[in-house]
Amino acid sequence: GAVVSQHPSWVICKSGTSVKIECRSLDFQATTMFWYRQFPKQSLMLMATSNEGSKATYEQGVEKDKFLINHASLTLSTLTVTSAHPEDSSFYICSAPRSGRADNEQFFGPGTRLTVL
Amino acid sequence: GENVEQHPSTLSVQEGDSAVIKCTYSDSASNYFPWYKQELGKRPQLIIDIRSNVGEKKDQRIAVTLNKTAKHFSLHITETQPEDSAVYFCAASTNNAGNMLTFGGGTRLMVKP
């Protein structure tokens, strides 16, 4: 199967700082990547769709100026949580389908646990 | 947009028994229905999926059924083992949504030895 990596796997930061999370497709190209947020004991909630070469599409209720997404290449998308606050503490997971394929299967990164003090 | 409901939220079974988790979806255009197993702090792992042109799919102890008319699909795990204990999520997707997945709320399965 295809491999997606995320970096860092965990991060602890002070309130008010910004944190960047990287999502990479290691052995396939992904024109689209998805960013999810998962709070404890809850489901994965889609935050935004990252599109290579164009602006990200944000889900309702997700602040685009707070969660900056940049899809820099066909294998890399970054999510920057700006001015992080304790309520942003969560598990952030990216996923990507393989470009150019008709199937829908997505491949998930291992997730990044963000703790904001 | 798509809405996926999942039941039950928790399920406790004795080792060796079967477990069934059910999901309903709202968008009749959905055509891909994966099931994921997630252990604490880990990524979701695809355990089985089904597409809208198929009514049932089986892989060893795991099976999924799909009723397009009723817009519901179910996960069946037979001969459960303690290592099956985890949170299971169903999801739905359409090609029109660029492969975007909408997840159900999750089911915490506990298999008692």
Side-chain angles (χ1 to χ4, degrees), chain A residues 4 6 12 16 21-23 26-27 30-31 33 40 44 58 75 78 81 92 94-95 98-99 105 107-108 113 115 117:
Chain A
V4 174
Q6 267 183 254
I12 301 173
I21 302 170
E22 294 185 347
C23 177
L26 298 184
D27 51 1
T31 55
M33 291 184 175
L44 286 80
Y58 290 83
T75 59
T78 60
V81 183
Y92 292 85
C94 67
S95 74
R98 282 179 287 202
S99 297
E105 186 175 0
F107 300 90
F108 285 85
R113 181 155 309 278
T115 302
L117 302 176

mmCIF file of all heavy atoms in Angstrom, chain A residues 4 6 12 16 21-23 26-27 30-31 33 40 44 58 75 78 81 92 94-95 98-99 105 107-108 113 115 117:
data_model
loop_
_atom_site.group_PDB
_atom_site.id
_atom_site.type_symbol
_atom_site.label_atom_id
_atom_site.label_comp_id
_atom_site.label_asym_id
_atom_site.label_seq_id
_atom_site.Cartn_x
_atom_site.Cartn_y
_atom_site.Cartn_z
ATOM 1 N N VAL A 4 2.009 7.321 3.827
ATOM 2 C CA VAL A 4 1.919 8.746 4.150
ATOM 3 C C VAL A 4 2.604 8.973 5.488
ATOM 4 O O VAL A 4 2.349 8.237 6.453
ATOM 5 C CB VAL A 4 0.448 9.203 4.222
ATOM 6 C CG1 VAL A 4 0.347 10.656 4.692
ATOM 7 C CG2 VAL A 4 -0.226 9.034 2.867
ATOM 8 N N GLN A 6 3.866 11.838 8.585
ATOM 9 C CA GLN A 6 3.576 13.125 9.212
ATOM 10 C C GLN A 6 4.710 13.474 10.154
ATOM 11 O O GLN A 6 5.313 12.606 10.800
ATOM 12 C CB GLN A 6 2.273 13.066 10.029
ATOM 13 C CG GLN A 6 1.045 13.479 9.280
ATOM 14 C CD GLN A 6 -0.194 13.471 10.149
ATOM 15 O OE1 GLN A 6 -1.025 12.576 10.024
ATOM 16 N NE2 GLN A 6 -0.325 14.472 11.010
ATOM 17 N N ILE A 12 4.585 19.841 21.794
ATOM 18 C CA ILE A 12 4.064 20.604 22.924
ATOM 19 C C ILE A 12 4.533 22.042 22.748
ATOM 20 O O ILE A 12 5.715 22.290 22.515
ATOM 21 C CB ILE A 12 4.579 20.047 24.271
ATOM 22 C CG1 ILE A 12 4.165 18.581 24.422
ATOM 23 C CG2 ILE A 12 4.039 20.875 25.438
ATOM 24 C CD1 ILE A 12 4.775 17.895 25.626
ATOM 25 N N GLY A 16 -0.135 30.791 22.140
ATOM 26 C CA GLY A 16 0.251 31.958 21.363
ATOM 27 C C GLY A 16 1.287 31.692 20.294
ATOM 28 O O GLY A 16 1.505 32.533 19.414
ATOM 29 N N ILE A 21 2.764 21.455 10.873
ATOM 30 C CA ILE A 21 2.714 19.996 10.745
ATOM 31 C C ILE A 21 2.839 19.654 9.269
ATOM 32 O O ILE A 21 2.151 20.238 8.428
ATOM 33 C CB ILE A 21 1.381 19.440 11.299
ATOM 34 C CG1 ILE A 21 1.199 19.847 12.765
ATOM 35 C CG2 ILE A 21 1.338 17.927 11.155
ATOM 36 C CD1 ILE A 21 -0.190 19.540 13.307
ATOM 37 N N GLU A 22 3.715 18.711 8.957
ATOM 38 C CA GLU A 22 3.924 18.305 7.573
ATOM 39 C C GLU A 22 3.296 16.947 7.293
ATOM 40 O O GLU A 22 3.348 16.044 8.124
ATOM 41 C CB GLU A 22 5.422 18.215 7.260
ATOM 42 C CG GLU A 22 6.151 19.531 7.300
ATOM 43 C CD GLU A 22 7.600 19.378 6.868
ATOM 44 O OE1 GLU A 22 8.081 18.228 6.787
ATOM 45 O OE2 GLU A 22 8.251 20.413 6.624
ATOM 46 N N CYS A 23 2.741 16.839 6.108
ATOM 47 C CA CYS A 23 2.164 15.580 5.647
ATOM 48 C C CYS A 23 2.788 15.266 4.289
ATOM 49 O O CYS A 23 2.698 16.080 3.364
ATOM 50 C CB CYS A 23 0.650 15.715 5.528
ATOM 51 S SG CYS A 23 -0.189 14.255 4.877
ATOM 52 N N LEU A 26 4.879 9.390 0.478
ATOM 53 C CA LEU A 26 6.258 8.956 0.248
ATOM 54 C C LEU A 26 6.472 8.249 -1.075
ATOM 55 O O LEU A 26 7.556 8.316 -1.659
ATOM 56 C CB LEU A 26 6.723 8.060 1.399
ATOM 57 C CG LEU A 26 6.741 8.725 2.776
ATOM 58 C CD1 LEU A 26 7.319 7.768 3.809
ATOM 59 C CD2 LEU A 26 7.502 10.027 2.755
ATOM 60 N N ASP A 27 5.461 7.542 -1.561
ATOM 61 C CA ASP A 27 5.685 6.734 -2.757
ATOM 62 C C ASP A 27 4.588 6.916 -3.791
ATOM 63 O O ASP A 27 4.391 6.072 -4.654
ATOM 64 C CB ASP A 27 5.839 5.255 -2.388
ATOM 65 C CG ASP A 27 4.695 4.775 -1.505
ATOM 66 O OD1 ASP A 27 3.793 5.572 -1.208
ATOM 67 O OD2 ASP A 27 4.713 3.590 -1.114
ATOM 68 N N ALA A 30 0.024 13.042 -4.758
ATOM 69 C CA ALA A 30 -1.295 13.372 -4.222
ATOM 70 C C ALA A 30 -1.619 14.824 -4.530
ATOM 71 O O ALA A 30 -1.078 15.732 -3.897
ATOM 72 C CB ALA A 30 -1.341 13.128 -2.713
ATOM 73 N N THR A 31 -2.483 15.051 -5.490
ATOM 74 C CA THR A 31 -2.896 16.419 -5.786
ATOM 75 C C THR A 31 -3.846 16.938 -4.718
ATOM 76 O O THR A 31 -4.021 18.142 -4.567
ATOM 77 C CB THR A 31 -3.576 16.500 -7.162
ATOM 78 O OG1 THR A 31 -4.650 15.565 -7.194
ATOM 79 C CG2 THR A 31 -2.602 16.182 -8.278
ATOM 80 N N MET A 33 -4.969 16.412 -0.545
ATOM 81 C CA MET A 33 -4.756 15.820 0.774
ATOM 82 C C MET A 33 -5.824 16.377 1.690
ATOM 83 O O MET A 33 -6.334 17.483 1.483
ATOM 84 C CB MET A 33 -3.359 16.150 1.311
ATOM 85 C CG MET A 33 -2.226 15.461 0.545
ATOM 86 S SD MET A 33 -0.618 15.798 1.310
ATOM 87 C CE MET A 33 0.443 14.768 0.307
ATOM 88 N N PRO A 40 -10.269 13.680 21.878
ATOM 89 C CA PRO A 40 -10.343 12.398 22.600
ATOM 90 C C PRO A 40 -11.741 11.797 22.559
ATOM 91 O O PRO A 40 -12.744 12.483 22.782
ATOM 92 C CB PRO A 40 -9.925 12.781 24.017
ATOM 93 C CG PRO A 40 -9.028 13.953 23.842
ATOM 94 C CD PRO A 40 -9.610 14.720 22.694
ATOM 95 N N LEU A 44 -13.151 11.391 13.592
ATOM 96 C CA LEU A 44 -12.326 12.276 12.783
ATOM 97 C C LEU A 44 -13.234 13.302 12.118
ATOM 98 O O LEU A 44 -14.207 12.954 11.450
ATOM 99 C CB LEU A 44 -11.575 11.496 11.704
ATOM 100 C CG LEU A 44 -10.399 10.647 12.158
ATOM 101 C CD1 LEU A 44 -10.840 9.333 12.745
ATOM 102 C CD2 LEU A 44 -9.439 10.419 10.989
ATOM 103 N N TYR A 58 -11.948 24.935 3.107
ATOM 104 C CA TYR A 58 -12.160 24.724 4.529
ATOM 105 C C TYR A 58 -13.596 24.321 4.818
ATOM 106 O O TYR A 58 -14.536 24.798 4.187
ATOM 107 C CB TYR A 58 -11.814 25.999 5.305
ATOM 108 C CG TYR A 58 -10.333 26.293 5.312
ATOM 109 C CD1 TYR A 58 -9.733 26.945 4.239
ATOM 110 C CD2 TYR A 58 -9.537 25.925 6.384
ATOM 111 C CE1 TYR A 58 -8.370 27.209 4.228
ATOM 112 C CE2 TYR A 58 -8.176 26.188 6.401
ATOM 113 C CZ TYR A 58 -7.597 26.831 5.312
ATOM 114 O OH TYR A 58 -6.247 27.084 5.311
ATOM 115 N N THR A 75 3.677 16.000 -3.269
ATOM 116 C CA THR A 75 3.906 15.043 -2.184
ATOM 117 C C THR A 75 3.925 15.690 -0.806
ATOM 118 O O THR A 75 4.188 15.010 0.190
ATOM 119 C CB THR A 75 5.248 14.308 -2.386
ATOM 120 O OG1 THR A 75 6.298 15.286 -2.419
ATOM 121 C CG2 THR A 75 5.246 13.505 -3.684
ATOM 122 N N THR A 78 1.286 21.160 4.184
ATOM 123 C CA THR A 78 1.575 21.574 5.556
ATOM 124 C C THR A 78 0.370 22.273 6.160
ATOM 125 O O THR A 78 -0.369 22.990 5.478
ATOM 126 C CB THR A 78 2.784 22.522 5.621
ATOM 127 O OG1 THR A 78 2.513 23.686 4.836
ATOM 128 C CG2 THR A 78 4.035 21.846 5.107
ATOM 129 N N VAL A 81 -0.836 25.760 12.565
ATOM 130 C CA VAL A 81 -1.790 26.253 13.560
ATOM 131 C C VAL A 81 -1.197 27.545 14.119
ATOM 132 O O VAL A 81 -0.170 27.522 14.803
ATOM 133 C CB VAL A 81 -2.005 25.226 14.687
ATOM 134 C CG1 VAL A 81 -3.064 25.739 15.668
ATOM 135 C CG2 VAL A 81 -2.415 23.872 14.112
ATOM 136 N N TYR A 92 -4.070 15.574 15.110
ATOM 137 C CA TYR A 92 -4.264 16.026 13.733
ATOM 138 C C TYR A 92 -3.767 14.928 12.788
ATOM 139 O O TYR A 92 -2.630 14.463 12.903
ATOM 140 C CB TYR A 92 -3.516 17.336 13.480
ATOM 141 C CG TYR A 92 -4.116 18.505 14.241
ATOM 142 C CD1 TYR A 92 -3.751 18.759 15.563
ATOM 143 C CD2 TYR A 92 -5.063 19.330 13.643
ATOM 144 C CE1 TYR A 92 -4.317 19.820 16.268
ATOM 145 C CE2 TYR A 92 -5.635 20.391 14.349
ATOM 146 C CZ TYR A 92 -5.254 20.624 15.663
ATOM 147 O OH TYR A 92 -5.823 21.663 16.359
ATOM 148 N N CYS A 94 -3.576 13.573 8.631
ATOM 149 C CA CYS A 94 -3.774 13.866 7.219
ATOM 150 C C CYS A 94 -4.029 12.559 6.470
ATOM 151 O O CYS A 94 -3.716 11.471 6.958
ATOM 152 C CB CYS A 94 -2.569 14.588 6.618
ATOM 153 S SG CYS A 94 -1.082 13.583 6.529
ATOM 154 N N SER A 95 -4.623 12.699 5.307
ATOM 155 C CA SER A 95 -4.819 11.536 4.452
ATOM 156 C C SER A 95 -4.713 11.973 3.002
ATOM 157 O O SER A 95 -4.868 13.161 2.682
ATOM 158 C CB SER A 95 -6.172 10.870 4.704
ATOM 159 O OG SER A 95 -7.226 11.645 4.163
ATOM 160 N N ARG A 98 -4.506 8.395 -3.967
ATOM 161 C CA ARG A 98 -3.508 8.425 -5.029
ATOM 162 C C ARG A 98 -4.067 9.147 -6.249
ATOM 163 O O ARG A 98 -5.176 8.868 -6.682
ATOM 164 C CB ARG A 98 -3.102 6.994 -5.409
ATOM 165 C CG ARG A 98 -2.144 6.385 -4.414
ATOM 166 C CD ARG A 98 -1.767 4.977 -4.780
ATOM 167 N NE ARG A 98 -2.865 4.045 -4.539
ATOM 168 C CZ ARG A 98 -2.699 2.751 -4.376
ATOM 169 N NH1 ARG A 98 -1.482 2.211 -4.438
ATOM 170 N NH2 ARG A 98 -3.737 1.959 -4.176
ATOM 171 N N SER A 99 -3.310 10.076 -6.788
ATOM 172 C CA SER A 99 -3.757 10.855 -7.932
ATOM 173 C C SER A 99 -3.853 9.967 -9.159
ATOM 174 O O SER A 99 -3.059 9.039 -9.346
ATOM 175 C CB SER A 99 -2.770 11.992 -8.231
ATOM 176 O OG SER A 99 -2.704 12.883 -7.145
ATOM 177 N N GLU A 105 -9.742 4.886 -2.339
ATOM 178 C CA GLU A 105 -9.012 4.545 -1.134
ATOM 179 C C GLU A 105 -8.072 5.652 -0.710
ATOM 180 O O GLU A 105 -7.354 6.228 -1.522
ATOM 181 C CB GLU A 105 -8.216 3.251 -1.324
ATOM 182 C CG GLU A 105 -7.557 2.774 -0.037
ATOM 183 C CD GLU A 105 -6.856 1.438 -0.183
ATOM 184 O OE1 GLU A 105 -6.885 0.880 -1.291
ATOM 185 O OE2 GLU A 105 -6.296 0.972 0.820
ATOM 186 N N PHE A 107 -5.083 7.015 2.178
ATOM 187 C CA PHE A 107 -3.996 6.536 3.013
ATOM 188 C C PHE A 107 -3.714 7.590 4.076
ATOM 189 O O PHE A 107 -3.547 8.772 3.775
ATOM 190 C CB PHE A 107 -2.771 6.249 2.144
ATOM 191 C CG PHE A 107 -3.065 5.210 1.098
ATOM 192 C CD1 PHE A 107 -3.534 5.588 -0.154
ATOM 193 C CD2 PHE A 107 -2.924 3.862 1.374
ATOM 194 C CE1 PHE A 107 -3.847 4.634 -1.113
ATOM 195 C CE2 PHE A 107 -3.233 2.903 0.414
ATOM 196 C CZ PHE A 107 -3.707 3.289 -0.818
ATOM 197 N N PHE A 108 -3.701 7.134 5.317
ATOM 198 C CA PHE A 108 -3.602 8.059 6.436
ATOM 199 C C PHE A 108 -2.171 8.175 6.953
ATOM 200 O O PHE A 108 -1.423 7.196 6.984
ATOM 201 C CB PHE A 108 -4.507 7.595 7.586
ATOM 202 C CG PHE A 108 -5.961 7.849 7.320
ATOM 203 C CD1 PHE A 108 -6.721 6.951 6.604
ATOM 204 C CD2 PHE A 108 -6.565 9.014 7.783
ATOM 205 C CE1 PHE A 108 -8.060 7.193 6.343
ATOM 206 C CE2 PHE A 108 -7.897 9.266 7.537
ATOM 207 C CZ PHE A 108 -8.645 8.352 6.814
ATOM 208 N N ARG A 113 0.119 14.622 17.534
ATOM 209 C CA ARG A 113 -0.585 15.034 18.760
ATOM 210 C C ARG A 113 -0.048 16.389 19.184
ATOM 211 O O ARG A 113 1.138 16.523 19.495
ATOM 212 C CB ARG A 113 -0.392 14.018 19.870
ATOM 213 C CG ARG A 113 -1.134 14.426 21.139
ATOM 214 C CD ARG A 113 -1.503 13.279 22.052
ATOM 215 N NE ARG A 113 -2.188 12.186 21.395
ATOM 216 C CZ ARG A 113 -3.488 12.159 21.134
ATOM 217 N NH1 ARG A 113 -4.242 13.193 21.435
ATOM 218 N NH2 ARG A 113 -4.032 11.104 20.557
ATOM 219 N N THR A 115 -0.232 19.455 21.832
ATOM 220 C CA THR A 115 -0.619 19.879 23.170
ATOM 221 C C THR A 115 -0.189 21.324 23.352
ATOM 222 O O THR A 115 0.990 21.647 23.200
ATOM 223 C CB THR A 115 0.046 19.006 24.255
ATOM 224 O OG1 THR A 115 -0.329 17.641 24.040
ATOM 225 C CG2 THR A 115 -0.410 19.444 25.646
ATOM 226 N N LEU A 117 0.034 24.407 25.889
ATOM 227 C CA LEU A 117 0.008 24.684 27.335
ATOM 228 C C LEU A 117 -0.506 26.081 27.635
ATOM 229 O O LEU A 117 -0.374 27.004 26.817
ATOM 230 C CB LEU A 117 1.416 24.519 27.905
ATOM 231 C CG LEU A 117 2.048 23.133 27.701
ATOM 232 C CD1 LEU A 117 3.459 23.128 28.221
ATOM 233 C CD2 LEU A 117 1.202 22.063 28.381
#
